[in-house]
Amino acid sequence: KDEAAAAKGFEALAAAGDANGQCCLGLCFHNGWGVPKDVARAVELYRKAAAQGHAQGQCNLGFCYENGSGVTADLTEAVKLYSLAAAQGLARAQYFLGSCYFNGRGVEKHASEAARLFHLASAKGDIAALCNLGLCYRYGTGVAQDHARAVHYYQLSAARGFAEAQCCLGLCYERGTGVGKDQARAVDLYRAAASQGYAFAEYNLGVCYYNGTGVKQNVAEAIRYYTLAASRGYASAEFFLGVCHETGHGVDKDIDEAIRLYNRAAQQNHTRARESLARLTAVAGQGASEGK
């Protein structure tokens, strides 16, 4: 009821040409808040707000173009819109634009520009930008490599519940990179991220249970977390779950299931999965030939 009332209020503002009202009503239609979900209608409203120079409208419209939501995907247009909003100091746009430069989406890769934009957005507290800035320092991407600073930015983001940062910080604790080695702390961080459905953390937690790293060894729990990560298409989880099915470790031996899982991981160019798939299919083919 409150969402419907809010949407009605935004509708009145939007009808009067108020850019903020147009943007907010667009968000309502985009997410189905108080109105039936209609992404095309959201794009129309974002466009009206963006035409008036509304930074959040520009950013939201850019997001739609980047992801093909309610409009044909156009990465160049997304970068253009993010740039307009970022120039007005909008942290989320600075993060999105930084990600485009970081990954070379709609623009040539430019590591130092990505790091600069992540710095700007991080200064305003954007949790995703904080995490990505940590990645920059972890790998020396666009900045001088500094593991301690990477940990610092991961901690700021992880403390506010950002799953990717929790997982990255967990890796630092597991390996003792930029911080004292503490495998039990790593498990806690993986668990926090996994509880949000973050596949990489689910996989890492599975590895910890499988090997008894930072937690008592428990193959059944390892299988459970591998299965969760594999259900989200995480290639390494698909591979290791395939190994378990091939060997019968923690699950009933099932070569057909192993082949299915190896195939899924191989389709994502997982090298070991491709090798295992080739080996098993060759064996299966040989067996078929001998049976003739």
Side-chain angles (χ1 to χ4, degrees):
K1 186 179 289 186
D2 289 343
E3 288 183 352
K8 190 171 182 179
F10 293 142
E11 189 169 9
L13 290 170
D18 182 84
N20 194 57
Q22 291 165 341
C23 183
C24 290
L25 184 59
L27 282 169
C28 291
F29 277 108
H30 203 146
N31 297 285
W33 295 336
V35 292
K37 187 171 182 176
D38 186 340
V39 181
R41 174 69 173 139
V43 168
E44 180 186 334
L45 287 157
Y46 294 152
R47 197 182 304 281
K48 288 181 177 180
Q52 297 188 63
H54 190 272
Q56 190 65 59
Q58 293 166 337
C59 182
N60 291 358
L61 185 57
F63 181 85
C64 291
Y65 272 109
E66 182 178 4
N67 296 283
S69 299
V71 68
T72 302
D74 185 335
L75 295 178
T76 301
E77 185 66 14
V79 168
K80 175 184 172 182
L81 288 157
Y82 289 152
S83 297
L84 290 171
Q88 296 190 61
L90 186 68
R92 179 82 334 188
Q94 291 166 338
Y95 161 69
F96 283 144
L97 184 58
S99 296
C100 289
Y101 277 109
F102 190 88
N103 296 302
R105 285 176 60 81
V107 67
E108 285 190 21
K109 281 188 177 182
H110 195 313
S112 61
E113 179 64 6
R116 184 186 74 83
L117 287 158
F118 292 149
H119 266 291
L120 289 173
S122 293
K124 300 180 180 75
D126 188 288
I127 58 174
L130 286 163
C131 180
N132 277 21
L133 190 54
L135 287 169
C136 289
Y137 279 106
R138 169 73 176 84
Y139 296 104
T141 303
V143 293
Q145 189 175 50
D146 187 329
H147 296 306
R149 289 192 76 176
V151 167
H152 169 71
Y153 287 114
Y154 288 154
Q155 286 174 328
L156 291 175
S157 183
R160 292 170 57 194
F162 193 62
E164 184 179 352
Q166 291 168 336
C167 187
C168 290
L169 185 58
L171 281 169
C172 292
Y173 274 107
E174 183 180 353
R175 299 169 180 172
T177 305
V179 68
K181 191 171 184 177
D182 186 339
Q183 293 178 330
R185 175 65 176 142
V187 168
D188 288 341
L189 286 158
Y190 292 151
R191 198 183 306 281
S195 71
Q196 299 183 61
Y198 189 62
F200 187 21
E202 291 170 336
Y203 165 72
N204 285 353
L205 198 50
V207 173
C208 289
Y209 273 111
Y210 195 89
N211 296 314
T213 302
V215 68
K216 186 177 179 181
Q217 188 176 41
N218 186 328
V219 175
E221 274 296 274
I223 297 295
R224 185 170 78 86
Y225 281 109
Y226 284 157
T227 302
L228 285 171
S231 72
R232 304 183 206 284
Y234 194 76
S236 291
E238 291 168 339
F239 168 70
F240 279 104
L241 192 56
V243 171
C244 292
H245 279 286
E246 181 183 355
T247 60
H249 193 196
V251 293
D252 292 336
K253 189 171 182 176
D254 187 337
I255 299 300
D256 288 340
E257 180 64 6
I259 289 174
R260 186 185 73 83
L261 288 159
Y262 289 152
N263 185 54
R264 283 178 53 180
Q267 287 175 7
Q268 298 182 61
N269 296 317
H270 191 286
T271 302
R272 294 177 67 187
R274 293 173 68 177
E275 293 169 352
S276 295
L277 181 63
R279 173 175 50 77
L280 286 186
T281 51
V283 170
Q286 182 180 10
S289 297
E290 291 174 353
K292 289 182 179 179

